[in-house]
Amino acid sequence: MISVSDALNTLLDLVAPLEVETVPLRAAAGRVLAEPVSANRDQPPFAASAMDGYAMKAAEVERDAMFKVIGESAAGHGFQGRVGPGQAVRIFTGAPVPDGADFVVIQEDTSVTGSLLTITDHPGPGHNIRAKGGDFQIGTTVDAPRVLTPADIALLAAMNIAEVPVRRKPTVALISTGDELVMPGESPGPDQIIASNTFGLDAMLASAGAESRILPIARDTESSLRMALDLAQNADLIVTIGGASVGDHDLVAGVTEGLGMSRAFYKVAMRPGKPLMAGTLGRSAMVGLPGNPVSAMVCGHVFLLPMLRVMQGLPAMDHQPSTANLAHELPANGPRTHYMRARLSGGDLHVFDDQDSARLTLLSEANALAIRPPHDPSRSKGEPLTYIVI
Ligand code: AMP
Ligand code: MG
């Protein structure tokens, strides 16, 4: 058996960052920025008013001071003249502060009769002016790589970056194997169950930036599996599910070998999800996952998501696992790394008693996987335990 980290390193060696492509700004959300981009304008591009009020010289601002209002500066329509001594310009939020003015008195602190303005309240110390380039300046960069959030998209838009260099989305082909499986929505025979893994993994991988496809279920015959693999040909990553151990009906190893895959078969020291296969098939990386629904999903978190991150130019690990205090005691772990379904609530980690790797209800209830290293001793209530969010 090999360790989880050795298995992960082997899988990561099968993939590399994909090409860079340029997409319109709106299509860039959730994509990985491939190269730093920089602003070619200042924001704001001029000193701008932060409030509705009157612009004047700061040196003249005091309670009961009077001014002649000589014009108006609105957003998109600045005042063209200059503010002289004893003068003020009506101004609105986002409007350019006119030349000669360096203070905006908010309208609540003034009264106006005709064109005569009086400051009626003591204005605070703030000038209510946003400096030119106060948010960002020409040359301010947005660093790469990063997953572009909605806030990043707003920033790129403000920088006038309409075309964004991102990594191509990894294409993934998902193949379920087994005579017992039918697709959701079909009518299963008495000995059949519904293929769940491909759908869970499809959702997981799509949310991590992949373009994934669910191929027709491969039956437990060599020809059926070969046909499915043929359909998967151009994917960056092919993932088979089930059929990966050494049972009589477990065909994935033999068939992929017949197709020229230099294959490695691993027994990984982990629970759930022991058998794992990996190699290169044509131009695709291929990973064979165990069939048990929870095992497949846990392997998706532990192995496939880091592979997708590398393909998108990100570090394999997005962050260190977090720790939380155990809500109860836990018995010692065995010789394999155990990813235990758990629920993080109120800052405490509740690890489920039942860890049956076929029970998806418990996976759906979990929002974390507590990680127990091999031979982790028994833990008492309140001790910190590492976990990943799922
Ligand atoms: P296998 O590795 O093919 O022996 O499968 C192990 C267990 O996982 C068996 O109980 C299968 O019925 C089940 N299984 C395999 N593939 C899937 C799938 N795509 N969806 C749900 N269960 C599956
Ligand atoms: Mg099977």
Side-chain angles (χ1 to χ4, degrees), residues 284-341:
S284 313
M286 195 219 124
V287 177
L289 296 182
N292 264 321
V294 177
S295 310
M297 293 296 279
V298 169
C299 286
H301 281 288
V302 175
F303 298 117
L304 300 183
L305 293 183
M307 291 176 85
L308 287 187
R309 282 197 284 267
V310 167
M311 284 191 261
Q312 293 175 92
L314 294 167
M317 294 302 162
D318 52 353
H319 48 73
Q320 294 298 89
S322 319
T323 62
N325 294 337
L326 262 175
H328 48 81
E329 57 181 22
L330 267 185
N333 188 30
R336 299 190 261 155
T337 304
H338 197 175
Y339 293 88
M340 304 183 85
R341 277 153 284 171

Side-chain angles (χ1 to χ4, degrees), residues 10 14 22 78 83 88 100 117 151 163 195 206 228 237 245 274 277-278 281 293 299 333 344 351 376 381:
T10 307
L14 300 175
T22 302
V83 177
L117 168 81
E163 303 278 321
L237 175 64
S245 56
K274 195 158 68 175
M277 204 180 318
L281 195 58
C299 286
N333 188 30
L344 189 68
V351 179
D376 193 36
K381 179 178 167 161

